[in-house]
Amino acid sequence: MTAVKHAAAPPSAPPRRAPGMGRAFTYLLLIIATLFFLIPVYLVFATALKSPDAITLDTAWHWPAVLNWASFSEAWDKVGGNMLNSLFLAVVATLLSALLGSLNGYALSKWRFRGANTLFALMLFGMFIPYQAVLIPLFQFIKALGLYGSIWGLILAHVVYGIPITTLIFRNFYADVPDALIEAATIDGAGFWQIYGRVIFPISVPGFVVVIIWQFTQVWNEFLFAATLTNTSSQPVTYALSQLAGGQAVSWNLPMAGAILAALPTLIVYIVLGRYFVRGLLAGSVKG
Amino acid sequence: MKGLSKDRLWAMAVLAPSILLIAIFVYSFIARTVYVSLTDWGNDPAQALAIDPIIRWVGFQNYQELFTGFLQGRFRQELVNTLFFTLFFILGCLGLGLGLALILDRNPRGEGLWRTVFLFPMSLSFIVTGTIWRWMLQPQGGVNQAPTLVGAPPSTFGWLSSNDAVLKFDWNALPLITALVVGVVLIVLAVRAAREGQRTRMVVAAACAALLLLWAVFIGPRVKLLAAPELHGFNFAMIGIIIAAVWQMSGYTMALYLAGLRGIPEELREAARVDGANDASMYRHVIFPLLSPITLSAMIILGHISLKIFDLVYAMAGPDNISASVPALNMYLTSFRQNQFALGAAIGTILLILVAFVIVPYLASQFRGEEGHS
């Protein structure tokens, strides 16, 4: 709970500098840590840019002598359709769950009623459950609705299981909106919907950004539902990538190029809007 | 405004669809899973996918099969894998995350850039991470070739393929170990209650502990779950998966700790310095105690993630690597590859119980505190 508060207002770093020796040591540690985090990136690109016959385990670390960009177009041929599936899925599911979360968060934080907190805690439990514990009935349910193998079944699952986290983020976001604003609007004769439309929704942009980024990343990266609720025509990219990399006799440039493609959208989102990503991360992880 | 105004009714109307959906998709589905786990649906392959399968109630037979059945040794190894994975994954993320946060708290130049580097794996899918690390941990390549860059001979560690294990124990000793662990926890609770002067709680905890320990001493050693000894331990094939998981998630603990460190007012540090504390003792007596609630939150979140983790294992070790697998993966394979739905549901239920042990007390404590304030 504390962390969420801090995250809501990114604190400015106080001017605190350690003297000489300690500084050098600090940078040394930072460089070692950076190597740990970036070496996989180097290896992915080195492998993706090699031609299949240049990939041997002995020379895995060598940068390719000749760059082979064809891996990417080849990988796109294999997972491009799934990328488009993922894009459609992630955009639709994200927008729907953001809208639902905004309304829920508004109702829960600004129109509190008895038992609202208990209700909310029961709701939140839904985001912690292992989805394995609902997977079989979910599969049957989606099948009974006739949505198995269609992307809409997957969208339904993501919207429903996204309710807890989107509600949580918006509830925390709206908690910082002063109640006096709502009271003033009530005195002016505005009701539930007018207040939402004229007061709450217009100031919700930062909340929407956090929720949209967070949900987009989650839905894009999800694997379990993707593997159970879809068939070949509707499989998202995570499943396609796992199939691409799963075989034993693979030429590794393809899965590596595929991994880069599959990672690119969320990575771009993170690099461009990292600040909001971190807020979602903190809010989505620390409850309250 | 007390009572049910029109606006409040609207608020409930807005919430109703979500409540209904959660009631169906979370609670009724859980109930259905528990029910399925008590039947024999899919144990006979001919009935599994029949339009109108004959499903019989078999009670706890599936659970019994998982814990004591001859064919389910894989599940038992997975359960042990999950516990070790959780332990080392949490330790790794907390240690690395705290270390990175402490370094960044010293305000190095280009702090934003470093932070971006440490956090970027968080934005990746576990499938992507798994694919990358699987390549890095190939038996004769990647990490094993790394020593040759400085002229040393390549390593031969079987990152994902090793069958060696340490900390082995006989599965037959599981009831005994469980009783001892729970007994010790109860004793700790009793001592705590005694210190806080809560007599009833102390007596109940102490009595339960005594019962358990008596059982462990007199009956426990004679209980045999299996006909023959079956050894399980911390399998070396899990090490690579743990490293990859720490690579992906330690940025999260770093972000948490950094937010916590930045939230500690400068005056507190100043005051400690004025009192003559050096850096080490300031961290020990002032800063780390203030970070302990963050550590607890992180442990709970990481714990529930690690109990559920399955896509990373799927992408790194593959579905058929018995020594590097987890129950969450087994549940998917059992239910959707082998169509043994009842057995899969039983594994799903066991996972839910494990996660609930971590999450329910946490949610309860968070909201009990809040209900008081509002």
Side-chain angles (χ1 to χ4, degrees):
Chain A
M1 219 184 323
T2 35
V4 175
K5 298 257 162 65
H6 301 318
S12 56
R16 210 179 321 118
R17 294 207 183 269
M21 265 302 283
R23 293 302 293 162
F25 190 58
T26 303
Y27 285 109
L28 184 70
L29 289 178
L30 278 174
I31 287 165
I32 294 172
T34 305
L35 283 178
F36 174 62
F37 282 94
L38 288 186
I39 278 175
V41 177
Y42 165 78
L43 274 180
V44 173
F45 276 96
T47 311
L49 290 170
K50 280 176 189 165
S51 57
D53 51 321
I55 298 175
T56 61
L57 290 169
D58 297 349
T59 58
W61 290 81
H62 299 225
W63 188 253
V66 185
L67 296 188
N68 168 40
W69 291 96
S71 311
F72 285 96
S73 58
E74 226 177 298
W76 176 264
D77 286 342
K78 297 219 188 287
V79 302
N82 306 95
M83 294 270 291
L84 298 178
N85 283 344
S86 280
L87 192 67
F88 179 74
L89 163 73
V91 167
V92 176
T94 299
L95 290 180
L96 286 176
S97 48
L99 207 61
L100 207 54
S102 163
L103 285 169
N104 285 346
Y106 165 62
L108 276 172
S109 66
K110 292 294 166 233
W111 302 97
R112 283 183 221 106
F113 48 86
R114 266 171 74 90
N117 272 345
T118 313
L119 196 73
F120 181 57
L122 285 173
M123 233 183 197
L124 269 192
F125 183 62
M127 82 189 229
F128 292 108
I129 57 164
Y131 294 134
Q132 277 84 354
V134 293
L135 199 58
I136 293 170
L138 176 69
F139 171 76
Q140 288 181 289
F141 188 81
I142 298 283
K143 225 173 164 182
L145 288 179
L147 291 176
Y148 171 75
S150 112
I151 221 151
W152 290 101
L154 208 49
I155 289 176
L156 176 65
H158 279 299
V159 170
V160 172
Y161 292 110
I163 288 174
I165 178 75
T166 57
T167 303
L168 169 75
I169 296 178
F170 272 114
R171 179 178 170 272
N172 287 350
F173 179 79
Y174 293 140
D176 289 339
V177 176
D179 284 343
L181 214 61
I182 312 292
E183 275 156 33
T186 329
I187 289 163
D188 291 344
F192 183 87
W193 290 105
Q194 280 101 341
I195 296 176
Y196 182 74
R198 297 210 191 126
V199 182
I200 294 289
F201 188 77
I203 56 168
S204 298
V205 176
F208 270 100
V209 175
V210 172
V211 166
I212 285 173
I213 287 171
W214 184 249
Q215 272 301 91
F216 182 86
T217 312
Q218 293 300 303
V219 174
W220 184 278
N221 287 342
E222 201 274 342
F223 180 73
L224 183 61
F225 293 155
T228 9
L229 302 179
T230 57
N231 57 23
T232 17
S233 66
S234 56
Q235 267 145 8
V237 69
T238 45
Y239 189 75
L241 179 64
S242 78
Q243 295 309 98
L244 192 63
Q248 282 307 314
V250 283
S251 47
W252 277 91
N253 61 323
L254 274 192
M256 291 301 119
I260 294 171
L261 290 179
L264 218 50
T266 52
L267 212 51
I268 290 172
V269 162
Y270 166 67
I271 288 170
V272 177
L273 296 159
R275 205 156 53 95
Y276 297 96
F277 179 83
V278 174
R279 268 191 225 176
L281 180 75
L282 295 178
S285 319
V286 185
K287 311 281 89 53
Chain B
M1 246 192 308
K2 281 269 166 198
L4 289 176
S5 71
K6 203 173 118 216
D7 292 330
R8 244 161 255 258
L9 281 176
W10 267 120
M12 284 186 231
V14 160
L15 284 169
S18 296
I19 293 167
L20 189 69
L21 286 171
I22 294 286
I24 295 173
F25 279 73
V26 175
Y27 293 96
S28 89
F29 280 7
I30 286 175
R32 168 92 190 148
T33 300
V34 173
Y35 165 74
V36 169
S37 79
L38 300 171
T39 70
D40 70 345
W41 186 23
N43 291 358
D44 171 10
Q47 289 294 325
L49 293 177
I51 308 273
D52 221 353
I54 301 167
I55 297 174
R56 278 171 314 172
W57 176 270
V58 296
F60 287 97
Q61 197 183 300
N62 291 310
Y63 296 90
Q64 201 185 347
E65 172 68 18
L66 286 171
F67 281 95
T68 65
F70 177 66
L71 291 174
Q72 295 298 331
R74 172 176 178 163
F75 172 76
R76 297 190 280 272
Q77 178 59 46
E78 288 169 339
L79 214 51
V80 175
N81 280 346
T82 292
L83 294 182
F84 281 114
F85 178 87
T86 303
L87 180 72
F88 292 117
F89 169 68
I90 291 180
L91 284 178
C93 285
L94 289 180
L96 188 55
L98 179 61
L100 294 175
L102 287 175
I103 297 175
L104 287 183
D105 193 46
R106 296 164 70 94
N107 297 314
R109 251 170 246 285
E111 188 205 311
L113 191 66
W114 303 111
R115 223 174 29 200
T116 308
V117 168
F118 301 149
L119 256 169
F120 88 90
M122 275 292 306
S123 69
L124 304 182
S125 162
F126 273 124
I127 293 289
V128 170
T129 303
T131 307
I132 297 171
W133 278 86
R134 177 188 172 130
W135 167 234
M136 293 184 55
L137 299 179
Q138 284 297 295
Q140 277 93 42
V143 172
N144 277 352
Q145 282 292 327
T148 63
L149 295 177
V150 290
S155 144
T156 54
F157 192 78
W159 285 102
L160 298 169
S161 53
S162 173
N163 283 319
D164 295 334
V166 286
L167 300 171
K168 285 189 201 166
F169 67 97
D170 184 357
W171 186 256
N172 282 319
L174 183 77
L176 193 61
I177 297 173
T178 314
L180 287 174
V181 170
V182 177
V184 169
V185 171
L186 283 170
I187 290 176
V188 172
L189 284 181
V191 170
R192 259 207 202 165
R195 260 196 224 137
E196 288 164 18
Q198 293 182 312
R199 268 191 68 86
T200 345
R201 198 191 285 179
M202 182 198 80
V203 170
V204 170
C208 291
L211 270 178
L212 265 174
L213 293 177
L214 278 177
W215 181 88
V217 170
F218 292 107
I219 306 174
R222 275 178 284 157
V223 174
K224 289 270 176 288
L225 293 174
L226 305 166
E230 187 182 284
L231 293 181
H232 294 289
F234 173 50
N235 205 306
F236 287 154
M238 294 300 291
I239 294 177
I241 300 173
I242 294 170
I243 294 176
V246 170
W247 180 80
Q248 168 136 14
M249 293 299 296
S250 53
Y252 158 69
T253 32
M254 181 210 70
L256 277 186
Y257 277 128
L258 198 58
L261 284 169
R262 293 283 153 80
I264 295 173
E266 188 62 13
E267 297 84 69
L268 262 180
R269 299 178 197 243
E270 290 297 327
R273 269 191 215 106
V274 170
D275 288 348
N278 57 16
D279 261 14
S281 65
M282 177 174 72
Y283 276 108
R284 224 184 109 206
H285 298 292
V286 179
I287 297 194
F288 289 151
L290 286 171
L291 292 180
S292 56
I294 293 180
T295 305
L296 184 68
S297 299
M299 280 172 73
I300 285 161
I301 303 304
L302 292 172
H304 105 274
I305 290 174
S306 82
L307 291 172
K308 303 198 291 200
I309 206 160
F310 113 105
D311 27 12
L312 185 68
V313 183
Y314 183 97
M316 284 186 78
D320 304 314
N321 189 335
I322 292 167
S323 42
S325 184
V326 287
L329 175 56
N330 190 349
M331 187 277 163
Y332 166 72
L333 297 173
T334 305
S335 312
F336 293 95
R337 291 255 169 104
Q338 293 142 26
N339 299 320
Q340 290 186 298
F341 295 108
L343 209 55
I347 302 176
T349 307
I350 293 168
L351 273 177
L352 180 72
I353 292 170
L354 286 178
V355 170
F357 265 121
V358 176
I359 290 303
V360 170
Y362 183 58
L363 282 182
S365 71
Q366 293 255 311
F367 282 91
R368 202 180 304 138
E370 230 177 70
E371 201 93 53
H373 291 299
S374 59

